[in-house]
Amino acid sequence: MDLLNTLVDKGLRRETPTRAEALAVLATGDDDLLDVVAAAGKVRRRWFGRRVKLNYLVNLKSGLCPEDCSYCSQRLGSKAEVLTYTWLKPERAAAAAEAGVAGGAKRVCLVASGRGPTGRDVERVADTIAAIKERDTDVEICVCLGLLSEGQAARLREAGAHAYNHNLNTAEAMYGDICTTHGFADRVDTVQRARAEGLSACSGLIAGMGETDQDLVDVVFALRELDVDSVPVNFLIPFTGTPMAGEWALTPQRCLRILAMVRFACPDIEVRVAGGREIHLRTLQPLALHIANAIFLGDYLTSEGQAGRADLDMITDAGFEVEERDAATLPEHRRDAVAAGNGDGRQQEAAGSARADLVAVRRRGAGTDLAPNA
């Protein structure tokens, strides 16, 4: 297929596809799916080999968020029966992080619900980073606390954080449909602030919220313009008790096409299969490893994921290897840059089946007395 040959050639040269080419990837049919995966796999292997980076989430503060993001089980007014608790003590958070590292995680992602951190919150997280580093000095730390104020990213970097995550989630044109308490520009500002104050920028999207193909391409190109270092691709988890509980439009094939489009647009950037992969990719999860070079190990913020042992078996069985601690994730040219800077219309594809039984609310790990999944 000429389209795929063109996209592979561009990806190997680190060239961005045109919007028309990105849209064409999303419009490919199921008969071409394996060809799309294989083409994206050539680009993935050029820049990341067969390594899979493992990331592990620790939810420092769960639920009771004042923002009204429609997709979120922790949102204002959420009826989802998820765990709710206030800030974990540093030692308890460090113990949760240690479980993920023992399971093979190279990066620990510290997350807290809320609009954005106060100065006191930043210091709490700094203490937590210190507690984690006391147990393991080499583990990467990514922090996700919402909208940042001036100087907060710099303080987190000083405390030992490596990266900051703040997802754009969807296209600017659609943002008002999913959230009214803050805007797309607020999120862009936080990503830019994190980069400017010395943190590696991690920002991604959520697919399956009723967006068009054009919306998906727009948000990915916005991420490319922000020059982020990693892009988590989430697939909506339709929690009962949220406004998007009925959104079950994704199919495994659709998810793979979305991942491929992201890879072609971001050839040398870490692409991570994030929340919802077990629910929407299901038995096709191993194919995603041919496109993405990172996953989350174990559970997510408020939902349970695949067993950590099953994740590791999947990676091995698919012919990949867990990225070692001392291996550099990003290609050399991107590492140098970080160091220096220190289809119109609603989706017409057949909808996936509503499978609310696949959404398992997290009842173990951080904030509970049960062992974490790692």
Side-chain angles (χ1 to χ4, degrees):
M1 185 186 291
D2 288 344
L3 168 67
L4 296 179
N5 290 334
T6 298
L7 290 171
V8 170
D9 288 344
K10 285 188 171 184
L12 299 182
R13 296 194 303 266
R14 295 188 285 126
E15 292 182 15
T16 304
T18 66
R19 289 177 182 268
E21 289 166 343
L23 286 167
V25 173
L26 297 177
T28 54
D30 287 351
D31 288 345
D32 298 316
L33 182 63
L34 291 181
D35 292 331
V36 172
V37 172
K42 291 179 181 178
V43 178
R44 180 249 202 268
R45 289 192 300 277
R46 168 64 181 86
W47 300 112
F48 299 96
R50 304 191 73 83
R51 293 174 285 114
V52 179
K53 182 176 182 178
L54 299 182
N55 301 258
Y56 189 73
L57 285 167
V58 177
N59 197 353
L60 299 179
K61 180 168 73 75
S62 182
L64 306 176
C65 182
E67 304 299 287
D68 69 354
C69 306
S70 300
Y71 54 83
C72 185
S73 59
Q74 303 181 78
R75 74 187 295 271
L76 178 69
S78 173
K79 299 293 193 297
E81 296 180 353
V82 300
L83 288 170
T84 59
Y85 51 85
T86 191
W87 290 94
L88 294 181
K89 298 295 184 184
E91 281 306 314
R92 194 166 184 186
E98 188 173 42
V101 172
K106 179 177 179 176
R107 174 179 288 190
V108 171
C109 304
L110 304 176
V111 187
S113 62
R115 179 179 178 86
T118 63
R120 184 183 178 191
D121 293 337
V122 170
E123 293 308 315
R124 282 192 180 103
V125 176
D127 290 343
T128 297
I129 293 172
I132 293 171
K133 293 284 190 177
E134 186 176 345
R135 297 179 183 222
D136 189 334
T137 58
D138 297 326
V139 65
E140 288 184 10
I141 303 290
C142 181
V143 180
C144 178
L145 307 175
L147 302 173
L148 291 175
S149 301
E150 184 176 355
Q152 290 183 326
R155 174 67 186 106
L156 291 168
R157 179 176 60 81
E158 177 188 324
H162 172 80
Y164 194 83
N165 166 260
H166 196 62
N167 295 330
L168 297 188
N169 289 329
T170 194
E172 184 174 12
M174 186 186 172
Y175 203 84
D177 295 337
I178 66 167
C179 182
T180 65
T181 49
H182 63 266
F184 185 85
D186 296 316
R187 289 186 171 265
V188 169
D189 177 72
T190 284
V191 176
Q192 292 174 328
R193 188 182 299 277
R195 278 183 56 85
E197 296 183 10
L199 290 176
S200 175
C202 172
S203 186
L205 64 140
I206 304 173
M209 298 191 293
E211 69 280 342
T212 66
D213 282 2
Q214 186 66 54
D215 291 328
L216 285 170
V217 171
D218 283 350
V219 68
V220 172
F221 275 62
L223 291 166
R224 182 71 204 225
E225 186 174 342
L226 286 170
D227 196 26
V228 299
D229 296 317
S230 57
V231 177
V233 180
N234 297 277
F235 302 109
L236 177 71
I237 300 177
F239 275 97
T240 299
T242 66
M244 291 192 173
E247 291 284 352
W248 286 90
L250 295 172
T251 64
Q253 297 83 0
R254 170 73 169 166
C255 293
L256 289 171
R257 279 189 279 272
I258 291 168
L259 285 169
M261 185 271 287
V262 175
R263 172 54 73 202
F264 289 130
C266 306
D268 58 342
I269 294 171
E270 178 186 332
V271 176
R272 187 182 318 145
V273 193
R277 66 175 163 92
E278 300 90 344
I279 294 169
H280 295 294
L281 281 163
R282 298 191 288 279
T283 58
L284 296 193
Q285 284 186 75
L287 287 180
L289 298 178
H290 290 271
I291 305 171
N293 63 293
I295 65 171
F296 278 111
L297 175 74
D299 294 333
Y300 302 97
L301 297 177
T302 60
S303 66
E304 293 188 351
Q306 185 167 274
R309 183 69 256 173
D311 284 339
L312 297 175
D313 289 343
M314 177 180 70
I315 291 168
T316 300
D317 291 348
F320 293 88
E321 59 188 23
V322 172
E323 183 171 289
E324 296 292 338
R325 184 76 70 88
D326 58 355
T329 299
L330 295 175
E332 185 176 1
H333 62 271
R334 287 203 64 86
R335 299 199 303 274
D336 291 344
V338 171
N342 238 355
D344 295 337
R346 294 288 169 180
Q347 176 55 232
Q348 298 301 308
E349 187 171 350
S353 302
R355 288 292 306 276
D357 60 301
L358 293 175
V359 180
V361 174
R362 181 173 69 84
R363 301 296 184 198
R364 60 195 175 195
T368 77
D369 294 325
L370 299 178
N373 173 24

